[in-house]
Each structure stands twice: as structure tokens, then as C-alpha cells.
Amino acid sequence: FPPDRSVSNSGGSQFTDQPGSAPGSSQDVTASRWISRAQMPTARARLAVVAYQGQIYAIAGDTEDGVTGVVEVYDPLTDSWTRRANKPRPVRNVAAAAIEDRFYVPGGYDAMDQAIADLEVYDPATDSWSEAAPLPSPLFAYALAVADGKLYLFGGSDGMRYLDTVLVYDPRTDSWSEGTPMAEPRGFCAATAAGERIYVVGGYDGARESALCDIYEPAKEGTTELPWSRLAPMRAGRGGLAVVVVENYLYAIGGGWMQELSFNERYDPSKDRWTQFDSPLVGEWRTLGAAPMPIDPEVYIYVLGGWSGRFLSTNYAYNASFAIFLPSL
């Protein structure tokens, strides 16, 4: 890899955060489409977030006291939080995804500042954790999505460099395989599935934030067609962002690793075009978690925690069902 793809963790600025810099400024959410909800009990960044059966699970992450395995569950209907069983191995720089009735949390960056390969699996029905086949090698700061009952893991870091790898986990065989690599190594990107396609957006490579928006199509693996294609880039580079799909539109929220950002972005696939929408935080707002949640008759995007000069406990909800977007000049 070229030099700007390698990583140096001096000061812990890439893989951990140190409180003390000025926090981002909050906007008046009452004047926007954002709603402030009950704050997360544990302020944290670099966490995993999963929506499941009408609730949102916040798992592990980085806190003022160091890495954590805490699991807290938010109920949008009661606007309240409860605790569940801690993840056995505390980690940060992770993602999680639900397949059927299990949550999968691969790898991570542990309390010893080491990349790990463990795959820990949570059963919400029994509030218990188990282990599955580990990653082929230690990895963290990846993007994660689910398609056709499989986990797809994109990029990330092994602690020495950022990677372009694509890994696929099949829970039916408890095994990992490799997919076609990304065009550029990067970590702290975000991924989400829309039907049989997976968006892989943004990221950070240790030197710059990425504005890339790519499509990965698993069904094209093993055929004569390339599984990767490129869409219009975002208006700004975003590392440590979150992405979700609501009503066929892609929402990119947060970022701001090397620059301050005052807006989020929405992608219209019918026009291959990004437009901007407001943000409740101005400045750096990264390594946050987000999940869409239908609350009849609307769909809200819940955005939890993250980093903005300090570890955040914020819980913002954005009504994505009736949003009006004006073209940016």
C-alpha cells in the first residue's frame, strides 16, 4: 500500500478518542426535523447499533473510562432505556447486524489496543452471548451489512494499515469467505443493504476522508460481471459516518474527521444525486450509530452517541417520511 494508506495511532486519534477538544455546537432541533429523545445512559462513540423488533440496541464502544461492553436498549414508544447483558469482550470500532433472531458483532479494537478476530453473537430472547467462527484475521473499523442472510464486511483496519478486503460470513455454515475487494483501502466507512445491493459509503484512510459512494452486488460474484459499480460521490468527505435506507433513499449522517461539517446528505438513486439536509450538530460528529425505525405511520432515523470533542450520549430522531429537500445552490 502507498504510505498514506498505513496507520499510525500516536495519541490514539484514529482508533480511540481523548476528551478535551471543543465539542461541536448543537443546533435548535425544535426548528428542524430532528427531535431530541431520552439520552443514552452511557455516553460513547465507536459503538454498534442494531434495530430489532421495535427497539434499538447500543452495543460496546469507547467511553471516558475506556472501552466498554455495555448493552443498552432504547424503546421509542416509551422513550426509555434498559440494560441487557454486557458483551463478554469489550470492544470499540465495531458494527453489528441482525440475521433472523441473532446479532453478530465481528472483531473490534479491545482494551489492550489490539485488533481482535472474535465473532460474538447475541440472542435477545435469552439475553445471552455466544461465540461463532472468528474472522480470518483480526479486524476493526469496518463497514457491515446483511444481504440474503449473510454478513458482508467491508474494509477496516488490522491495526497496521487500512484494508480493501471484503469478507462474507454465512451463519448456516458458520464460515467466512472472501469477496471482490474494494477499489481503495479504507476504514470507518458505512454500509447498508437495499434489496440485493449494498451501498458502501465514505470512509477514512488515515490521511483523508472519502466522499465515495459505491454499490456492491453479491449476486455478481463468480460471474463475468463486476460486483462493484460507482455512483455519484457525496458533497463532502465523511469518515466515521452512519448510513441507512428509508423509502429507497440513502441517508448519510455524520462524519467530519478532518473537517467540520454543518449538514448531512441524502441520495436519490433515481437521479444519482445527493442533496443536503440539516444536522443537529455542527462540527465533527463521527463514529456514531444510526438505525431506521418505523413508528406507524412514519419512519424515523435514530442517531445515537458518537464523538464531537467529547463522548456523546445524544439520541436524535429524524422523521424521514415527510422530509422536504430543496436543491442546494
Side-chain angles (χ1 to χ4, degrees), residues 271-326:
K271 299 177 181 178
D272 189 28
R273 181 186 180 194
W274 291 88
T275 55
Q276 65 186 53
F277 65 102
D278 64 318
S279 175
L281 283 176
V282 175
E284 60 175 1
W285 184 24
R286 55 173 168 81
T287 58
L288 62 161
M293 179 63 64
I295 301 177
D296 191 39
E298 297 160 335
V299 179
Y300 286 82
I301 301 170
Y302 285 85
V303 185
L304 305 178
W307 173 264
S308 186
R310 58 188 173 88
F311 295 105
L312 301 176
S313 60
T314 50
N315 175 11
Y316 291 116
Y318 184 82
N319 191 329
S321 294
F322 64 94
I324 299 173
F325 296 87
L326 299 177

Side-chain angles (χ1 to χ4, degrees), residues 53-252:
Q53 291 189 350
Q55 296 184 317
I56 301 172
Y57 290 70
I59 302 169
D62 209 4
T63 76
E64 287 191 3
D65 298 322
V67 65
T68 185
V70 69
V71 177
E72 293 165 340
V73 184
Y74 176 70
D75 186 336
L77 296 182
T78 61
D79 192 29
S80 63
W81 290 87
T82 56
R83 282 286 299 270
R84 303 301 294 269
N86 283 6
K87 183 180 181 296
R89 189 161 185 181
V91 287
R92 54 200 158 204
N93 300 316
V94 291
I99 299 178
E100 295 182 351
D101 56 357
R102 298 288 191 276
F103 302 170
Y104 295 83
V105 188
Y109 196 63
D110 71 7
M112 302 299 293
D113 292 343
Q114 298 291 323
I116 67 171
D118 303 38
L119 175 58
E120 292 192 321
V121 184
Y122 178 70
D123 182 347
T126 61
D127 190 27
S128 62
W129 289 87
S130 60
E131 293 188 7
L135 289 160
S137 59
L139 187 62
F140 63 94
Y142 50 79
L144 190 67
V146 173
D148 192 28
K150 297 178 182 178
L151 288 180
Y152 289 84
L153 186 153
F154 302 92
S157 173
D158 59 7
M160 297 296 293
R161 65 185 66 195
Y162 288 102
L163 306 172
D164 61 1
T165 51
V166 174
L167 297 174
V168 186
Y169 175 75
D170 188 340
R172 293 165 292 190
T173 60
D174 189 28
S175 62
W176 291 90
S177 60
E178 292 190 12
T180 301
M182 301 189 295
E184 298 88 4
R186 63 192 193 271
F188 298 105
C189 49
T192 188
E196 297 181 353
R197 310 200 307 172
I198 300 173
Y199 291 99
V200 182
V201 185
Y204 180 64
D205 66 4
R208 58 185 179 271
E209 293 179 271
S210 172
L212 294 178
C213 179
D214 293 335
I215 284 284
Y216 175 76
E217 298 180 78
K220 292 184 178 179
E221 289 283 8
T223 72
T224 57
E225 297 184 87
L226 293 176
W228 287 99
S229 56
R230 181 146 293 175
L231 306 175
M234 293 182 291
R235 293 168 176 255
R238 296 177 183 270
L241 75 165
V243 297
V244 301
V245 170
V246 176
E247 297 175 355
N248 205 40
Y249 293 97
L250 178 67
Y251 292 78

Side-chain angles (χ1 to χ4, degrees), residues 23-37:
S25 59
S26 297
Q27 293 193 22
D28 181 7
V29 297
T30 61
S32 74
R33 299 191 183 279
W34 291 93
I35 304 168
S36 184
R37 307 298 288 165

Side-chain angles (χ1 to χ4, degrees), residues 34-51:
W34 291 93
I35 304 168
S36 184
R37 307 298 288 165
Q39 293 203 335
M40 190 165 47
T42 303
R44 49 186 150 153
R46 304 173 184 266
L47 71 162
V49 171
V50 178

